[in-house]
Amino acid sequence: MKVCLVCSHGGHFTETLQILEAFAGHEIFFATYHSAREADVLNIAPGSYFTENIGMNLGRMLKAFPWALHILLKEKPQVVISLGAEVAVPFFYCAKLLGMKTIFIESWCRVENLSLTAKLVYPIVDEFWVQWPQLLKVCGSKARFKGAVI
Amino acid sequence: MILVTVGTHNKGFERLVRAMDELAAELDEKVIIQYGSSSYIPVYAEHFQWTSSQQMQELTRQARVVVSHAAAGAILMALIEGKPLVVVPRMKEFGEHMDNHQLQLSVALYKAGQAVMVSQINKDTLILAIQKCSILEVKETGAKMLVLGIKDRLASWSSNQ
């Protein structure tokens, strides 16, 4: 299968590296932020895409939707997976529109409360996983604990 | 060598940087402090503001103990290298982060026996924590369960196509 891995840079990218062996035998590419680790991303997946850090900027978030749609239409992955952060939002909504399967894994740094990204994507993702069992208490019935990155 | 890291966060973590620098003055062991956005610049310890993740990884490998702000990326780096870890949460009340989720992560790690936590930051609590974590049995857990979960899901979707 072709898998699109969506993540911001920094810790979210570090977490994503921890699960890469799950994709042996599949084709992967990243959609992530420009950062000092771009060369690392391209070493793993040469056909990856980069954009500006969205942060809490609504303008950049809105611009990310056509960017995500363009990438998904061009690459046609069967599955979109993300450990956050906010860059996951446009990708999951576009993936839902295009009938692609989605897995959201809440970041390992979230122990007792969900991130805003998690709350925004919960309604539409096929799989919603958390990395700490105690977090299940504050999630809907869709949520599962399937282990952690460490 | 004791490696201290406060990450690339845009807020400083002067409480930790200052206390570890004061401790460095009293220790024979080398202390290296990555001070990031902190306005206090170390005087006694070797220090730098930022570096590449490769260099951080290399320093982590060389360290005997890591003292880190409680951010996922920094903690992961230490645990992946199997290093004894002291986690110090950034607190909203001190302007070190926008909320207190680092405290929750620190407590969870402490309860899981994967790190020693310091919340009252001073030389005494820090040296005690450094001594304690050195004798913690660092568990090699890895992402096996999660990786299997993902593989299973992909396989079931693949067979349904």
Side-chain angles (χ1 to χ4, degrees), chain B residues 119-138:
Chain B
S119 48
Q120 298 278 17
I121 305 175
N122 58 57
K123 283 184 305 180
D124 299 326
T125 55
L126 284 167
I127 191 60
L128 250 167
I130 289 166
Q131 283 162 353
K132 243 205 258 180
C133 81
S134 318
I135 57 172
L136 256 186
E137 222 177 277
V138 185

Side-chain angles (χ1 to χ4, degrees), chain A residues 1 3 11 14-15 18-19 21-23 26 37 40 78-79 81 101-103 105 108-113 126-127 129 131-132 134 145-150, chain B residues 53-54 70-73 75-77 79-80 98-99 101 104-105 107-109 112 114 140-147 149-151 153-155 157-158 161:
Chain A
M1 297 180 105
V3 180
T14 305
E15 288 189 55
Q18 286 294 95
I19 58 163
E21 61 178 283
F23 309 111
H26 300 281
R37 293 164 95 178
D40 295 338
Q78 284 79 33
V79 185
I81 299 180
K101 294 293 190 190
T102 50
I103 304 179
I105 305 169
W108 186 64
C109 74
R110 291 286 168 178
V111 181
E112 287 172 27
N113 310 109
D126 295 302
E127 296 284 337
W129 298 351
Q131 297 194 51
W132 293 90
Q134 53 266 55
F145 167 70
K146 296 268 201 171
V149 292
I150 191 84
Chain B
S53 51
Q54 277 96 328
I75 292 168
L76 277 175
M77 198 170 272
L79 292 180
I80 287 165
M98 39 174 240
D99 63 24
H101 74 274
Q104 294 169 3
L105 182 55
V107 170
L109 285 170
Q114 288 182 292
E140 176 58 70
T141 41
K144 295 187 193 74
M145 183 181 161
L146 182 56
V147 163
I150 295 169
K151 278 181 167 168
R153 211 66 197 91
L154 293 181
W157 281 334
S158 186
Q161 279 180 350

Side-chain angles (χ1 to χ4, degrees), chain A residues 129-142:
Chain A
W129 298 351
V130 298
Q131 297 194 51
W132 293 90
Q134 53 266 55
L135 197 49
L136 290 171
K137 285 199 294 271
V138 301
C139 299
S141 55
K142 211 186 214 177

Side-chain angles (χ1 to χ4, degrees), chain B residues 33-83:
Chain B
I33 302 179
Q34 179 263 324
Y35 64 89
S37 304
S38 309
S39 55
Y40 176 86
I41 296 175
V43 168
Y44 304 104
E46 199 174 307
H47 55 276
F48 61 91
Q49 194 177 26
W50 330 98
T51 190
S52 66
S53 51
Q54 277 96 328
Q55 184 55 12
M56 271 321 282
Q57 203 166 17
E58 185 48 44
L59 284 169
T60 304
R61 285 193 192 120
Q62 291 170 19
R64 182 182 68 84
V65 171
V66 174
V67 178
S68 175
H69 75 143
I75 292 168
L76 277 175
M77 198 170 272
L79 292 180
I80 287 165
E81 299 295 339
K83 295 295 167 174

